[in-house]
Amino acid sequence: MSSNTLVLAACIAVAAVLFLGLANMMRGGSANLSQRLMRLRVLLQFLAIILIMGVLWWRAA
């Protein structure tokens, strides 16, 4: 799997969780589920940033 594919997959995962959390909040769903999804989004964003930085570092080397 290429680094471009990994970065794209990480960004899509972040966007998917973000939209799921927003959709849940907009329709008045469970506050616990919204909170859990937003925490998952933050974790996925952290992992995506680490991955992106790693790819940039690896390509520069």
Side-chain angles (χ1 to χ4, degrees), residues 23-42:
N24 186 55
M25 285 192 302
M26 288 175 59
R27 67 181 161 92
S30 167
N32 277 343
L33 179 60
S34 289
Q35 188 68 268
R36 213 173 306 137
L37 286 170
M38 290 302 117
R39 287 180 182 164
L40 178 60
R41 179 191 54 85
V42 170

Side-chain angles (χ1 to χ4, degrees), residues 4-5 7 12 18 21 23 30-33 38 42 52-54 57:
N4 287 343
T5 306
V7 169
I12 289 173
L18 172 64
S30 167
N32 277 343
L33 179 60
M38 290 302 117
V42 170
I52 291 167
M53 295 304 293
W57 176 78

Side-chain angles (χ1 to χ4, degrees), residues 1-16:
M1 192 178 275
S2 75
S3 57
N4 287 343
T5 306
L6 289 174
V7 169
L8 179 63
C11 291
I12 289 173
V14 170

